[in-house]
Amino acid sequence: MKLSRKWLSEFTDIKASDKEYADAMTLSGSKVEAIDIPGSEISKVVVGKVITIERHPDSDHLWICSVDVGGEAPIQIVTGAQNVRAGDLVPAALHGSTLPGGVRIKKGNLRGVKSEGMLCSLKELGLDLHDFPYAVEDGIFILQEDCKPGDDIKTVVGLDDSIIDFEITNNRPDCLSVIGLARESAVTFGTELRIKTPEVKGSGGNIIDYLDVEIENGKLCPRYTGRVVKNIKVGPSPKWMRERLRASGIRPISNIVDITNYVMLEYGQPMHAFDYSCVEGKKIVVRTANEGETLETLDGNLRRLTPDMLVIADANRPIGVAGVMGGGNSEITPDTTTVVFESANFNGVSIRKTATALGMRTDASGRYEKGLDPLNTLPAIQRACELVELLGAGEVVDGIIDVVAADIKEVKLPLEPSKINSLLGTAISEEYMIKVLTALGFKVENGIITVPSWRSDIEHYSDIAEEVARFYGYNVIEPTVFRGAAVQGGLTEKQTLERRLNDLCRGIGFTEILTYSFIGDSDYDKMLIPACSPVRKSLRILNPLGDDTSVMRMTGLPSMMEVLGRNSSYRNREARLYELSRVYIPQNGAILPDERVMLVMGAYGPKENFFSLKGCVEALLRSLRIGGVEFRAVADNPSFHPGRCAAVECSGGLLGVIGQIHPKVQDNYGIDTPVYAAELDLKVLLDSRLPEATYRPLSRFPSVYRDLAIVCDADTPVAVIEKHIMNAGGALLRNVSLFDVYTGSPIPEGKKSAAFSLEFSSEEQSLTDADIAPRMEDILKQLKTAVGAQIR
C-alpha cells in the first residue's frame, strides 16, 4: 500500500521526517518497505515565462526564447518545439539541472547561439497525459497551473511529496486504505485523527424510481449499497485528485472512474460505476453465474463464467464479475449521462477462487479476498457521491439502496489488564490500555471491549494484548523470567525413533536423501505394480504440476529407485541410500489419509547382495530392540525378485519387505547391476520396541559349547531351524549361530547340511554333559518333527 504523506496530512499532522516516520510505523506494527521521493531526480527546474520568441538565424526549426525564470534578468534558451508562444509558462531546466533518468542539463551553443538551459516536455519530467490531460504529448509542457516564474516545478506539478510503501499483512485489510494508515499513524505519534463524515446534498428525485437491487446469495454477498447519479459530466479529474492517484500507483482516467479509485484508496472499499442506460430492467441482481454464461470484461477479454462465480447482473445478463472487474457492456463512456455507484461486500474466499479461475487479479479482488468491513459500504458510497458534487461531475439522486443479506455481529471481549500484563511480562496500567484501544476505534465500557467492524482479526484476549504491546513498544518491554507452571519440552517417542534411525543408518554407511511426496502413475508402472493393486488407489492431486506429480505416494520405493537410477546414470559404481519417506494411505470414510513414515533403504554395488542388506536391517532392528523379528520368504511382490524377497515380521505385525529389486524394474530405471531395497514401517517399529535393556552380570560359571550339524530339505530356511532350536533348548540355551551350510556329495540331492554352534550357560552352576544331553535330545526331536531334519 502506497501512502502519500500529503494525503495523510489531511487526516493527521505528523511532523516527523520520512525516516523517523517509517521507523516508528514499523515498530508499531505497520512495516515500511520503502520510501519513494517522486521528484528526487529533478533539481534546478523552475517555472519560466516566455517573454519573446524569434527564429534562429541558421535553422528553420529552432527558436530563440527569452525566458523569465524569476531572476534579475531573463535567460536565453534555444528550443526546437513548435508549440511555444510568448507569454507561456513552461518548465525551464537551468544550467546544472538534473532530470529523471540521470539526464544533466548544461548551457552551450546551438548553431552559434547561446542556450542557458532547456524547456521541458511532460515526458522529460517523468509525467504523461494522464497526469495533465490538457498538455500535448510531443511538445513543450505549457503550464495552466497557478504559478509564477521561479517557482520550483516539483511543487507546481505535485512531485514535492513522499510516498511511503507499506507491507500490509493479510489479517489487516483495514490498513489497505489511507484512513486505516492514518489511524495507525495517529496512535503511533499521539496526534489527533480527523475523519470527516461525508455530506451529500442531493438533487431531488427518488432512487426507487431508477433502480431495484436483489441479493440471491447472502453468504457470498452480505451487503450491497447503491446510489444513482444523473446528468453526468465526464471529464478530467482536478489536479489534486490526479496527484494522489498517481502517488498511489493508479493512473488517472476520468472523473467518474477516478472517484471510484479514490474512494477505494481512501476508505479501502472497492467501488464500481455502471452506465445506467446499460442496466436492463432497471434492476441489479447479485447472483451466481448460470452455466455457459460469458462476459466481456473491461480489459476486452471474453470470460467464460461457471456456476460457482458471483456476478453482478441486470434483469437479463451479467454486467460485472463481482469483486473483480466490471463488464464492457456497462462501461462509462463520454456519452454516459447517468451512473449507478456500487459499494458492496463480498465473501473473500469466493472472490479469491473466481479471480484465480479467470486468471485476473485486480486491486479490488486483492482487497476483497482479505475480508473487508461490511459496515464500510455506506460511508464509502457517501464519500463518492460527495466527491461527485464537489467536482461538479453530476447530480446525486436522493435515496440510498442498502440491502443487508446477512447478520453482522459485534465481537465483544473482556478487558483483562492482569492477564494481558502476565502474557506480556509488563506492568502497563489499565488507563493506558483503554487509551490505546479507544484511539484505535475500540469501545471500552464497564470492562467490556467492543471490537470495531474493520478489525476482523481480533478474536482473543491475546490479540488485545498485541494491540497494547505494539504501541507501548516492543523495544521498551523489559525481559522477564518466565512465570507460571514450567512446561517440560522434549522429543516425542516418534521423533526420538526418527533421530535414532538417522544415526544408525549413517553409522552403517547409508546416505540420507529427500524426495517429493508426490509421484505419477508411470512410477507405479515402472515398479510393475498391477492395475488391481491397492497401492494404485492413491490420493490424486486436484491441480498437479504435471502427470509425473499427480498422486500422493503409498510407497517410497519408486522415489528411491529414481534416485538410485540417477546415481547409476552418473556412473557412480556403488550407492547406499536411505530416506524417512512419508506415504499417504487413504482411509475409508475419512477425508484425510493416514500419513505414515517409512524407512526406505536402497543399495547397489559390487559388494551388495541380499544378505548384506539383510544384515544391515538386522543391525538396525537389534539396535532399536525390536522384539520377535522374523524373515519370511515371499514370491508374490511384483517389484522384487520372486526368489530373493522376504517379508519382515515382528511382535507388532508386518514390519515391511526386503529383497532384490526385480530385474525388469531395475531395467526400467536404467540400472545395469542388481539393486537391493527394504521398506520398513516406523509405526510398527515404534509399537514393537522392547523395554529398555537392564544390566545383567556375566555368569560366574563357564559356558559350554556344542556343535550341531543336521541334514534337512534344501528349501528349509535357516531362520526356521534356529527358531526351533531355541524353543527346544530351554533356559540353558543362550545363543545359536550358524557357521556352515553345505550341499553336494555325500549330501543327497535336494538336501543341505547346516551346522550350528550352540552356547549353554547357567548362573547357578557349572554345566556337565548330564545337563546338556537332555537338551540336545529335545532339540533333535523337535527338528525331526518340525522340519524332518536328521543329525549328520
Side-chain angles (χ1 to χ4, degrees), residues 213-227:
V213 174
E214 178 184 349
I215 298 177
E216 291 187 356
N217 193 324
K219 290 184 179 180
L220 300 185
C221 178
R223 188 174 187 179
Y224 190 100
T225 308
R227 293 205 72 166

Side-chain angles (χ1 to χ4, degrees), residues 117-136:
M118 183 182 79
L119 304 185
C120 301
S121 65
L122 271 177
K123 184 177 180 181
E124 287 162 339
L125 294 175
L127 304 171
D128 58 34
L129 291 179
H130 293 286
D131 300 310
F132 291 91
Y134 63 77
V136 294

Side-chain angles (χ1 to χ4, degrees), residues 15 68 104 111 144 197 241 266 276 306 309 341 406-407 412 422 510 513 519 615 650 717 758 765:
K15 303 301 182 184
D68 177 8
R104 298 187 65 86
R111 295 196 180 185
Q144 296 181 12
T197 302
M241 180 175 284
E266 189 173 52
Y276 176 73
T306 58
M309 296 179 180
F341 275 125
D407 292 336
K412 294 181 181 292
S422 178
F510 283 73
I513 63 172
I519 59 176
C650 62
L758 283 61
Q765 63 180 14

Side-chain angles (χ1 to χ4, degrees), residues 402-547:
D402 189 18
V403 182
V404 180
D407 292 336
I408 303 171
K409 298 180 180 179
E410 286 185 334
V411 176
K412 294 181 181 292
L413 298 170
L415 176 61
E416 302 170 291
S418 59
K419 200 172 182 180
I420 291 174
N421 280 321
S422 178
L423 179 64
L424 299 177
T426 57
I428 303 173
S429 67
E430 182 177 350
E431 291 73 18
Y432 180 83
M433 295 181 186
I434 295 174
K435 176 184 174 182
V436 169
L437 294 173
T438 303
L440 287 170
F442 294 76
K443 292 181 181 178
V444 185
E445 294 178 351
N446 300 321
I448 299 298
I449 303 169
T450 302
V451 179
S453 58
W454 61 82
R455 292 303 302 273
S456 57
D457 59 311
I458 304 297
E459 300 175 341
H460 190 256
Y461 92 92
S462 58
D463 299 322
I464 299 294
E466 181 183 1
E467 295 303 296
V468 173
R470 65 191 182 95
F471 290 106
Y472 181 75
Y474 291 116
N475 55 323
V476 299
I477 295 179
E478 295 291 336
T480 56
V481 178
F482 183 81
R483 296 193 297 269
V487 179
Q488 286 289 344
L491 301 175
T492 64
E493 286 189 53
K494 179 174 176 291
Q495 290 171 329
T496 303
L497 176 62
E498 289 180 1
R499 292 197 177 191
R500 178 70 175 146
L501 275 174
N502 276 305
D503 292 340
L504 291 172
C505 288
R506 287 192 291 267
I508 58 177
F510 283 73
T511 301
E512 186 178 15
I513 63 172
L514 182 64
T515 61
Y516 290 116
S517 297
F518 32 80
I519 59 176
D521 288 321
S522 60
D523 292 291
Y524 289 143
D525 296 336
K526 286 183 177 181
M527 296 300 296
L528 304 183
I529 297 174
C532 60
S533 172
V535 178
R536 290 274 191 169
K537 298 178 180 179
S538 305
L539 290 176
R540 296 201 164 271
I541 301 173
L542 293 178
N543 54 342
L545 298 174
D547 292 338

Side-chain angles (χ1 to χ4, degrees), residues 676-691:
Y676 302 90
E679 186 173 36
L680 307 177
D681 191 333
L682 258 69
K683 185 177 186 302
V684 180
L685 277 176
L686 194 60
D687 295 341
S688 306
R689 298 187 73 179
L690 296 174

